[in-house]
Amino acid sequence: MNRTTTRFTPIDPDLYATAFQLLDPAPEPDVPAAPVAPAPAVLTVAPAVHQPGPVEKTLTDALAFLDTRGWAKHRLIHPEGARCSIGALRAAAGTRNAAYRDAGNLLLDEARRQHGKQWDAIPTWNDSHTGPQVRSVWEAAIQRAHHLNI
């Protein structure tokens, strides 16, 4: 029998260890990460939400009352629930407070601007005009209260 001599190239004994480390690396030691500069904050400004003042709210609520329950002439409260302008103001304000008084004064002032200076009270002005004329005064008074922020 002849012996065959083989000449194997010697291998690096750490070769397999290195290969396995590349395939399945050991966890890296906990090294604190370098501080990251914070991203610049993006501030968005929400649109301003209008908060109606007490006079504007009283006028708006009163007009909404007229829109839902109906508008009346010659009586404070109609048997079916409709009201005149002063009745709607009373319903919206709940009590005869400062907002009620100021809303009434603003409404009467706007009535005088649109329909003449002769009106001395809301009921007489209300009873002497049509629904669209009365509504126009209400809307203008609400706009004035809004612009005056009251």
Side-chain angles (χ1 to χ4, degrees):
M1 237 183 166
N2 282 346
R3 279 194 122 175
T4 313
T5 310
T6 58
R7 294 188 188 231
F8 291 109
T9 306
I11 59 167
D12 179 2
D14 294 327
L15 179 65
Y16 288 109
T18 304
F20 285 121
Q21 275 185 343
L22 291 173
L23 294 173
D24 187 24
E28 303 244 347
D30 287 336
V31 177
V36 177
V42 177
L43 299 176
T44 57
V45 177
V49 176
H50 174 70
Q51 295 293 325
V55 173
E56 180 184 355
K57 182 173 179 355
T58 300
L59 289 167
T60 302
D61 291 350
L63 183 57
F65 187 91
L66 293 174
D67 287 342
T68 58
R69 300 279 179 93
W71 171 71
K73 281 184 170 189
H74 308 293
R75 22 177 50 167
L76 188 65
I77 303 171
H78 190 271
E80 294 176 7
R83 292 186 179 219
C84 70
S85 292
I86 199 73
L89 271 176
R90 288 181 185 172
T95 62
R96 292 184 186 182
N97 56 21
Y100 165 80
R101 183 190 68 244
D102 293 343
N105 287 335
L106 188 62
L107 186 66
L108 185 57
D109 184 57
E110 188 58 38
R112 288 173 177 157
R113 287 173 73 171
Q114 288 188 30
H115 301 286
K117 302 282 183 202
Q118 72 272 22
W119 306 109
D120 60 350
I122 292 172
T124 54
W125 159 78
N126 179 86
D127 295 347
S128 300
H129 291 85
T130 66
Q133 290 171 321
V134 170
R135 181 173 189 81
S136 172
V137 169
W138 277 95
E139 290 172 348
I142 291 168
Q143 285 302 313
R144 283 181 57 198
H146 176 84
H147 290 298
L148 293 170
N149 200 30
I150 56 173

